[in-house]
Amino acid sequence: MAHLIEHAKSGRASCRKCREKIAKDELRFGHETVFQDAVTYQWFHLKCAAQKVANDLNEALRDFAEDIPDRAELEETIAANRKKQKPTTFPYAEFAPSGRSSCQVCGETISKGEIRIAVEREIDTGSFARSGAGYLHPQCVAEYEEAPDDLADELAKNSVSLEPDELKSVLDQLG
Ligand SMILES: [Zn+2]
Ligand SMILES: [Zn+2]
């Protein structure tokens, strides 16, 4: 099971974003959710899903073979909203939102807007250790000893704010 796009079987479901009813036969997006051990779907208008759950809709769109009205417009909305998503699982690649981080390997500042790889690391505060983010230039990753073996796979999965071509260029730089 996974997220899905389908023609609404009835006109009874309401959209989780705008709360309006989704008309019978209209295309809708089902966001798969597990509730008390049962799989259920939260329904969205496609346009609303493009704003609220851009990545998940994008995945479902790839598997949906039928024509979708306004598909180009929908993809634009998805692209705009993907950018705003904050990755939540390490390691991930992203465009640095500020110029305040520096690379764990070479020590150079990572400029705002430059691609950086975020990894989880222990931060020793003196009295206790906690984990936080450490940042790397993509081209410095090869010299980072704690990089996981499946780093490329992990980055591909976790880098939710990158476009596929942006992700590919990051992976190419890993060496
Ligand atoms: Zn809606
Ligand atoms: Zn570096």
Side-chain angles (χ1 to χ4, degrees):
M1 297 297 276
H3 306 308
L4 66 88
I5 295 170
E6 64 166 29
H7 294 273
K9 295 183 185 99
S10 76
R12 287 194 302 271
S14 307
C15 171
R16 280 297 176 133
K17 180 167 190 296
C18 69
R19 308 282 162 189
E20 303 278 320
K21 292 266 190 247
I22 301 170
K24 186 171 190 306
D25 293 328
E26 188 182 351
L27 282 174
R28 64 182 181 180
F29 173 67
H31 191 255
E32 188 192 59
T33 323
V34 178
F35 180 69
Q36 295 178 343
D37 292 333
V39 172
T40 59
Y41 291 96
Q42 297 184 327
W43 299 107
F44 292 88
H45 295 110
L46 294 187
K47 271 185 195 140
C48 294
Q51 292 168 27
K52 186 95 177 173
V53 284
N55 278 310
D56 296 327
L57 175 62
N58 200 39
E59 234 173 73
L61 265 184
R62 254 181 285 150
D63 299 334
F64 189 74
E66 279 178 61
D67 281 344
I68 294 179
D70 307 324
R71 181 165 188 144
E73 197 186 318
L74 204 59
E75 285 179 346
E76 259 173 50
T77 310
I78 290 173
N81 285 285
R82 276 167 70 97
K83 290 262 185 260
K84 288 187 223 146
Q85 299 207 9
K86 182 75 189 150
T88 50
T89 313
F90 292 111
Y92 58 83
E94 67 173 0
F95 290 101
S98 76
R100 287 193 301 269
S101 60
S102 54
C103 175
Q104 296 283 301
V105 171
C106 69
E108 302 272 331
T109 301
I110 300 171
S111 316
K112 183 176 178 182
E114 198 180 346
I115 285 272
R116 68 182 182 184
I117 309 286
V119 291
E120 190 166 25
R121 70 181 180 113
E122 293 275 290
I123 297 170
D124 191 351
T125 61
S127 48
F128 63 97
R130 62 183 186 91
S131 61
Y135 299 103
L136 306 161
H137 292 113
Q139 65 275 21
C140 290
V141 165
E143 288 172 57
Y144 184 67
E145 285 169 5
E146 289 153 58
D149 292 338
D150 57 350
L151 180 68
D153 291 343
E154 291 291 312
L155 291 179
K157 216 169 33 190
N158 301 338
S159 305
V160 294
S161 62
L162 298 189
E163 297 288 326
D165 55 328
E166 292 164 349
L167 177 69
K168 185 176 179 305
S169 89
V170 173
L171 299 182
D172 286 348
Q173 288 177 65
L174 295 182

